[in-house]
Amino acid sequence: MPDAPVLPADIPTLTDGVVTLRALTLADLDAVVEQSRDPETARWTFVPEPYTDADGRDFIERSPQEWQDGVRCGWAIEHEGRFAGLVSHQPRGGGAVEIAYAAHPAARGHGVMTRAVRLAVRHAFDHGATVVLWHAQVGNFGSRKVAWRCGFVLGGPTVATRHDRVVEVWSGHLRPGDLMEPRGRWLFPPVLEGAGIRIRPFRDDDVAAFPESHDPLTARFSSVLPVRDAFPGWLLSRRTSEATGSAVACAIADAETDELLGGLDLHRLDVPLFAGTAVLGYWLLEGARGRGAVSRALELVIPWSFRPLTEGGLGLHALSAGCSVHNGASARVLRRAGFALVGTSRESMRAEGSLTGPVHDELLFDLLATDDREAQRVEPLRLPELETPRFRLREWRDGDVPDDDEGPDDASLRFMPASAQPNRATYVAWLARHRSFAEAGTGVDWCVADRETDHALGNV
């Protein structure tokens, strides 16, 4: 093997002063084989497995003939005097060419491939290409990020065949004159820590924290949360939303153990009509409830969401959130965080995520960056249980539904305000309304119950 590579004279060398595209030579053999055996390369490309030295030699020696025949224009990428990967484009008919690229493991994460792709795209346009196409298997965010940085118009997913395999792919295209710069935002979850909580991106290994089936509370109020088998698809959709600039998903973890406790997301970030605002959602795994984890997480995420983009924040000026009128725990979290109740959307939610389940009202909250959060924070009023020799004063319960003969009588109807005393049909709505008084810190209701039977008798 020669000490210095001899480059074929008919393959152009391209450079931007940092990255150089040059002809492949046998001096690149060890690096080509090393790259092709890398697990990430094998995962997202169609290199032979196992990849041998003979495969690498054949690939390199075939390159000059492919240039001569016009079937593929391929280069080695060189950065700081070392082999950094491969990039090529090949004709697809009608003036279109398709670009392909793969980075050597040692060169990833330094912007090398973005520079290389821009050089290869310009070469294609300079030689008559009318459009440059890009495809990558769904989930290959490394490839997608390069295409995004280079200004490709991105779409998909769709189904395509690659090397006799049917795969889901993302697609993109770039035309002459297009700016080779990102066309939108790619959002990245922050890493924040405080009060025993760590906010971080979700990871593939977080799957172990998810249950095989939902507990009743999750099934009722967080039915979109995946079970363990569905976690990979759920995570893919969250990462795709970040790549399109529409949402950011954050894991809530224990700061000491990094154990996953739950998550929160900010979405509707890509709608121009609502620019500068986001809708907040959050959830906890069953074993993480009752420890104030969401409240502590919001104390980290809310300031970050309002922090200017130039200071590493999300640059928002308003947050909104909603929860079922029956989800008192969620409403308490929002009030404690300083959100203001601004209204109720009637019959806008379905229980348990079912298309045919019962409908119920949604409480609507918002928070502005200019609000005085400390002044707006509300702690719910808590009722002490009181007893006399005959009676017990306690909280009203779901099971305190009046019997058929316990609705308002003539005296109640004459001397009490309308809807003050519920009957069997109106009890659920009455209870939700009166619980909201305690949650908002505006009033409390004791159930007057018989001390011996605990049967509800009246209200104070």
Side-chain angles (χ1 to χ4, degrees):
M1 187 179 294
D3 294 333
V6 178
L7 305 181
D10 54 348
I11 297 179
T13 297
L14 313 175
T15 185
D16 64 358
V18 176
V19 166
T20 298
L21 306 191
R22 58 164 176 78
L24 276 159
T25 74
L26 287 176
D28 299 315
L29 178 59
D30 289 345
V32 168
V33 172
E34 184 179 29
Q35 174 180 313
S36 300
R37 290 176 177 173
D38 171 66
E40 283 297 293
T41 302
R43 180 183 182 188
W44 299 117
T45 66
F46 298 91
V47 294
E49 293 187 71
Y51 197 90
T52 66
D53 286 359
D55 292 319
R57 182 180 294 272
D58 176 67
F59 173 76
I60 293 170
E61 292 178 342
R62 211 170 53 237
S63 181
Q65 190 63 46
E66 290 176 337
W67 271 91
Q68 184 175 334
D69 296 341
V71 298
R72 192 178 72 91
C73 301
W75 293 271
I77 304 167
E78 190 172 290
H79 177 242
E80 296 181 344
R82 294 188 295 272
F83 177 90
L86 301 164
V87 64
S88 66
H89 61 70
Q90 57 190 110
R92 293 301 187 201
V97 301
E98 182 171 352
I99 195 160
Y101 44 87
H104 188 277
R108 293 172 189 157
H110 302 288
V112 171
M113 189 56 71
T114 299
R115 290 177 172 273
V117 168
R118 286 175 179 152
L119 287 170
V121 167
R122 291 190 185 101
H123 176 272
F125 287 145
D126 289 344
H127 289 77
T130 58
V131 63
V132 174
L133 308 176
W134 165 84
H135 294 92
Q137 290 187 64
V138 169
N140 188 351
F141 287 98
S143 180
R144 180 176 181 131
K145 194 168 290 183
V146 170
W148 166 74
R149 286 180 175 140
C150 290
F152 280 77
V153 178
L154 302 176
T158 187
V159 174
T161 56
R162 290 288 185 272
H163 296 262
D164 298 324
R165 286 168 50 191
V166 177
V167 294
E168 275 196 303
V169 298
W170 289 320
S171 61
H173 68 272
L174 198 62
R175 296 187 181 276
D178 288 346
L179 291 177
M180 283 190 274
E181 297 293 338
R183 294 174 182 262
R185 290 197 297 175
W186 189 307
L187 298 171
F188 301 94
V191 177
L192 308 168
E193 195 166 315
I197 290 293
R198 177 178 297 126
I199 300 297
R200 60 165 173 80
F202 282 97
R203 299 192 302 259
D204 292 346
D205 61 6
D206 285 327
V207 64
F210 282 77
E212 295 182 358
S213 61
H214 287 318
D215 65 277
L217 195 62
T218 300
R220 186 178 185 193
F221 295 123
S222 303
S223 58
V224 296
L225 194 65
V227 293
R228 187 172 302 165
D229 289 347
F231 175 79
W234 177 87
L235 183 57
L236 173 65
S237 70
R238 294 305 184 272
R239 289 172 172 169
T240 304
S241 294
E242 291 167 356
T244 58
S246 64
V248 59
C250 304
I252 303 172
D254 183 279
E256 183 176 347
T257 66
D258 206 37
E259 171 196 3
L260 183 69
L261 305 176
L264 59 82
D265 60 89
L266 299 167
H267 56 277
R268 203 188 64 186
L269 292 165
D270 61 338
V271 182
L273 183 64
F274 301 107
T277 74
V279 178
L280 169 70
Y282 46 84
W283 51 269
L284 285 176
L285 296 170
E286 183 179 8
R289 296 173 191 147
R291 294 186 261 168
V294 171
S295 292
R296 287 180 284 155
L298 290 181
E299 294 307 304
L300 298 172
V301 171
I302 289 172
W304 169 77
S305 68
F306 289 150
R307 192 177 304 147
L309 291 169
T310 54
E311 298 176 15
L314 205 50
L316 303 181
H317 67 264
L319 294 171
S320 61
C323 67
S324 166
V325 69
H326 303 301
N327 192 349
S330 184
R332 285 192 290 274
V333 165
L334 293 171
R335 288 188 170 102
R336 286 191 180 109
F339 280 76
L341 179 65
V342 294
T344 301
S345 181
R346 297 184 298 164
E347 297 189 359
S348 60
M349 302 183 75
R350 286 199 179 271
E352 301 174 1
S354 168
L355 295 177
T356 58
V359 294
H360 47 93
D361 296 348
E362 180 186 15
L363 300 177
L364 305 176
F365 295 83
D366 71 15
L367 177 65
L368 303 181
T370 53
D371 283 345
D372 184 342
R373 287 183 63 208
E374 296 306 316
Q376 290 182 185
R377 293 181 191 271
V378 174
E379 282 289 342
L381 297 174
R382 291 293 178 227
L383 289 176
E385 190 167 291
L386 308 174
E387 289 190 348
T388 73
R390 294 177 56 196
F391 305 110
R392 175 180 297 115
L393 274 65
R394 58 166 173 78
E395 290 186 340
W396 283 93
R397 302 171 184 151
D398 293 342
D400 290 327
V401 180
D403 292 336
D404 290 335
D405 61 349
E406 291 182 322
D409 57 15
D410 290 342
S412 296
L413 294 173
R414 181 178 179 187
F415 296 112
M416 296 174 64
S419 303
Q421 181 178 348
N423 57 30
R424 177 178 288 273
T426 61
Y427 178 74
V428 172
W430 178 92
L431 180 61
R433 184 169 67 254
H434 283 256
R435 279 177 172 170
S436 72
F437 300 154
E439 296 293 345
T442 60
V444 294
D445 289 83
W446 276 277
C447 169
V448 182
D450 184 280
R451 184 171 177 176
E452 289 188 7
T453 66
D454 205 37
H455 183 75
L457 302 174
N459 182 74
V460 173

